[in-house]
Structures are given as structure tokens and as C-alpha cells.
Amino acid sequence: MTSFQTAPGQPGQPAPPDAVHPRDSSPESPTSVSRLNETIRDFVQKWGAVWVEAEITAWNLRGGHVFGRLKDAGGEGMLSFRMWSSTLQRTPDDLAVGDRVVACVKPDYFVKTGDFSFTVSAMRHTGLGDQLARLEKLRATLRAEGLFDPARKKPLPFLPHVIGLITGERSDAEKDVHRNAELRWPHVRFRTVHAAVQGDRCVPETIAALAALDADPEVDVIVIARGGGDPQTLLGFSDERLLRAVAAASTPIVSAIGHENDHPLLDDVADLRASTPTDAAKRVVPDVSEQRALVQQLRSRARTRLTQRVAHDIHALEQLRSRPVLRDPASLLTNRSQEVFSLTSRGREVVRRSWDAAARTTAELRASLRALSPGATLDRGYAIAHLADGVIVRDAAQAPSGAHVAVTVARGSFAARSEGEIPESGQPGTPT
């Protein structure tokens, strides 16, 4: 604690600022900032601890300590608080933004910076905050309607020609998106529509900007971007009107609201959620250097594969050419011609032998047939008598006297008439 000593001033000169109490200050004798801050701190420390009921609207964990904000459950009053790690260990693990709590807070004024805050020494649940309850109910409704379904989300174009950007005027989010997108793809073009990113104007202005960009045929993707903030300031991006407008848009939409820990309902309805505006720029346009490296890599791989394929085919051709049949094609014909000549000779011999055997068999059959033929009998002087109806005469009684018969001999036939049967006393062996 700084101790201020009252020092008497020189005659005709004002007292040093540290020596002047704030209540005694004047234009001629001002007090110092340190003396004023010390006085305020001493006054604040007399208040002691106070129990308040409120809703958590910000909860940021840094270095094991929590820095956040509490909002009056029934009004607009808000206060900033900090909770040391020792206190955090004694509080419930499920405390989060939107929870309604009862907290024991003690005012604390920092002399060096002039900041006023409250230190939390205890905190417990009193029920779910009204705000969080409304958001959870809306979340359940939209999920049941399928607005969170990944199947309905539209894919982003690989390289958009024009990017629509909805953000606050002269905001850091706009600068981040432009800078990072242009670093990745210098020729990217933007069509930016400024809108309020918090407060009562946020929702209608964002919806109007969305409608304008969605109706522009040149815009390939729309980014809705805003810097970080406590959940209270991000409520506009969980508004049902805006969410339904985003779901009905025909252009792919990227949500880039706040930081990694911020999660308005717009993140669930949009076609793509980016953790920050910088991340949105990286997700929307490809990195030209990465694409060039990828093209170079693919060309190198294609060249290697083609070289390997050509080398493999050349090696295969060399192997084919090294085979005897391709090295001396005439040798195959020479070897085959000798084989054909041998087979032809064998074929001729087989045919000749078969022919001779068949000729002998034919001669034998002819001789047998001749020996059994009636012609051989006729050649020996015999004759065959036929009646008029062609019946061969085998009995003399078949040719009575006067019967006409045809007699066939070795050479030809002649007609005759029977004189009747010759008695047994006739000369035997005489031809009839």
C-alpha cells in the first residue's frame, strides 16, 4: 500500500499532487492519479462480499483462472468477474455460459490500471438461464426439422470467383478475411456488404445483406464474419429469423462468428463452420502455393510412372526380341518344313500301303464274287431258261410242250419253244 505524506509546500508554490487528498483538490492544487486510485480502492474495500443472483454470459479460462461476465437475470445490469484457480477447484465442473448462478463477489479496484472488477469466492447453480433455455428449445426445434442435417449442407466451390462477405464496417474480421484470402489466392474478389454485428440492427441488416448476396449470380459463396465477444453480443447469430434465412439460401454459406469457443446456432445451420474469420478465409479459397506444389507433385508422379512404364515396356520388348523365334524367324520355318516333309512322306507311304491293301482285297473279293457269280456257270456251257413271266425253269414240268421260254447263255439270250419233257433215256448232260 502506498503511503502519501503531506509535505508543506514552499511559499508561493502549490503542494505536490501526491500530498493533496482528492477531496481537497482544485485547479491550482490537483491530486495525482495514484492518490485518487488509492482513495477509491480504500473506499471499495469497505463494501465487503455480496451475494448476487445472475446469469453467466461469458466464461473464459486462461492460465487456470476464469474471467467472465454476469448479467442480471431480470434486467440489463452486467458486471465483470474473475475467479482464481483455488476457487475454481471448489465450484461445480459443469458451470458454463447461460447458467443461472448465485455467486459471492467482492469488489476489487486495481490501483495501477484503474480497472474495477469483482472477485468470486463462491458460485453455485440456481437453474438454467432463460436465455439458454430459449436457445436450447430453438436448437431442438431446428434439429427436428433437419436444418442441422449434414445431408442438406451444400459443398463449397473449389475456387470461388467472387466471395460475398457480410461483416461489420471497418471491422477486424473484414481485414482478417481479406488479408488471409488474398495471401492464399491474390486474384480473389470480394463483394462485401456491411451490417451491424450486434444489437437490435444485427438480425434485419444481416438478413438483408444475405438476400442481396444470395440473389447475385456472380457470388459463389457467402461468409458471415464477426470478431469475438461475450455470448450476449452474439445472440443475433442465434436468432430464428436469421437461421431460417440461411437455411433457405441457395448459395453456400460459411459461419465465422467469434473465436473457437463461441458457438452460436448459425454454426450448426451454415454449410460450413469456421472457428474464426481467419479460418474462414483459409477454408474458402485454396492456397496458391499449396496448389502449385500439388500440381508439381502430381506432374512428378505422372512423369515417374510414365518413365517406369516406358522402361518396363522397353524391357519387355527386349525380352521378346531376344527369343530365338524372333531373333531368327526363318529357323522356325526350317524346322517346321523338315517336319512337314517327314509327315508328308509318311502320309504318302501310309496311303500307298493302304491303297495296295485295298487293291488286293478288291481283287480277292472280285475273284470270290466271280467264282460265285452265275456268269461263271454260264461260261462253262450252262444255260438258264426263263418262262414268259420271268420264272426260272427248275423242273421240266414247268415247260410243257409248246411253252415259250427264254434261254440265257454266257453271251446273250435267245427264244425257244419247248417240245415237252424229254424222257430219262435221253442223252444226259445235253444242255437244254
Side-chain angles (χ1 to χ4, degrees):
M1 178 176 178
T2 305
S3 177
F4 299 100
Q5 300 294 331
T6 302
Q10 298 295 331
Q13 294 182 358
D18 283 345
V20 180
H21 195 280
R23 67 172 177 269
D24 299 328
S25 64
S26 66
E28 293 76 18
S29 299
T31 188
S32 66
V33 174
S34 297
R35 184 67 182 271
L36 175 60
N37 285 350
E38 284 278 0
T39 304
I40 296 174
R41 183 197 60 189
D42 294 341
F43 176 74
V44 167
Q45 286 181 341
K46 297 177 182 179
W47 294 357
V50 179
W51 284 91
V52 296
E53 181 179 357
E55 182 179 335
I56 301 176
T57 59
W59 184 275
N60 299 312
L61 184 63
R62 297 198 300 267
H65 311 299
V66 175
F67 299 86
R69 295 177 68 84
L70 294 176
K71 176 182 177 295
D72 197 358
E76 298 298 326
M78 299 184 68
L79 61 83
S80 299
F81 73 87
R82 59 182 178 176
M83 182 187 299
W84 303 124
S85 58
S86 57
T87 304
L88 181 61
Q89 295 175 359
R90 302 193 306 268
T91 58
D93 296 335
D94 57 347
L95 288 175
V97 173
D99 290 354
R100 181 174 295 179
V101 296
V102 171
C104 182
V105 299
K106 183 178 180 181
D108 197 358
Y109 187 80
F110 295 90
V111 174
K112 185 176 181 180
T113 60
D115 294 331
F116 183 78
S117 181
F118 287 86
T119 301
V120 175
S121 59
M123 183 179 289
R124 61 181 176 82
H125 285 288
T126 61
L128 188 66
D130 295 338
Q131 183 184 106
L132 181 59
R134 290 193 300 271
L135 292 181
E136 288 302 320
K137 182 179 179 180
L138 178 58
R139 186 190 303 275
T141 300
L142 298 181
R143 179 179 287 108
E145 294 180 10
L147 268 63
F148 296 171
D149 189 355
R152 59 158 291 276
K153 296 183 183 294
K154 297 175 284 295
L156 270 61
F158 170 71
L159 180 60
H161 295 87
V162 179
I163 299 175
L165 177 60
I166 302 174
T167 187
E169 187 174 4
R170 294 189 298 274
S171 63
D172 292 337
E174 179 180 6
K175 297 175 184 177
D176 289 343
V177 173
H178 277 267
R179 180 174 60 254
N180 287 279
E182 290 167 358
L183 285 174
R184 294 173 64 83
W185 200 275
H187 298 292
V188 66
R189 291 189 297 151
F190 281 92
R191 192 149 299 166
T192 304
V193 179
H194 294 121
V197 291
Q198 66 183 56
D200 297 337
R201 295 166 39 219
C202 173
V203 174
E205 290 187 9
T206 303
I207 292 176
L210 176 62
L213 293 176
D214 189 39
D216 192 336
E218 294 186 355
V219 175
D220 298 319
V221 62
I222 300 173
V223 179
I224 303 177
R226 184 202 190 282
D230 60 72
Q232 189 70 23
T233 61
L234 302 180
L235 282 178
F237 299 101
S238 295
D239 188 278
E240 184 176 3
R241 294 169 295 171
L242 176 59
L243 300 179
R244 295 194 179 279
V246 169
S250 59
T251 308
I253 296 177
V254 177
S255 172
I257 306 301
H259 300 303
E260 179 67 35
N261 294 331
D262 298 323
H263 195 73
L265 294 182
L266 177 61
D267 290 346
D268 297 320
V269 179
D271 299 296
L272 177 68
R273 185 231 177 193
S275 58
T276 62
T278 300
D279 182 51
K282 295 179 179 179
R283 303 282 292 275
V284 169
V285 295
D287 190 335
V288 63
S289 59
E290 292 179 358
Q291 296 305 313
R292 287 175 176 171
L294 179 60
V295 170
Q296 186 63 30
Q297 180 183 6
L298 293 176
R299 292 179 61 184
S300 176
R301 289 173 57 186
R303 186 182 299 109
T304 301
R305 292 292 298 274
L306 182 60
T307 302
Q308 292 176 348
R309 181 60 183 270
V310 172
H312 176 270
D313 291 347
I314 291 176
H315 180 66
L317 288 175
E318 290 296 333
Q319 287 185 330
L320 292 175
R321 292 177 59 188
S322 65
R323 294 181 179 179
V325 67
L326 293 180
R327 186 173 60 249
D328 185 13
S331 63
L332 179 63
L333 298 178
T334 302
N335 296 334
R336 293 298 182 183
S337 64
Q338 183 64 31
E339 184 178 353
V340 169
F341 177 77
S342 300
L343 292 174
T344 303
S345 299
R346 289 175 58 188
R348 286 197 183 99
E349 182 65 20
V350 170
V351 170
R352 186 183 63 79
R353 291 178 181 178
S354 299
W355 179 276
D356 292 345
R360 288 193 298 271
T361 302
T362 301
E364 293 173 356
L365 292 174
R366 183 182 295 112
S368 298
L369 181 61
R370 187 179 298 275
L372 297 174
S373 173
T377 302
L378 296 177
D379 287 340
R380 292 198 301 269
Y382 289 92
I384 301 174
H386 299 269
L387 296 176
D389 56 0
V391 176
I392 296 176
V393 178
R394 289 182 172 82
D395 189 346
Q398 291 179 260
S401 178
H404 292 277
V405 295
V407 180
T408 301
V409 295
R411 289 187 297 116
S413 300
F414 60 89
R417 188 177 63 183
S418 174
E419 292 295 337
E421 182 178 359
I422 299 175
E424 292 291 335
S425 60
Q427 297 180 357
T430 304
T432 302

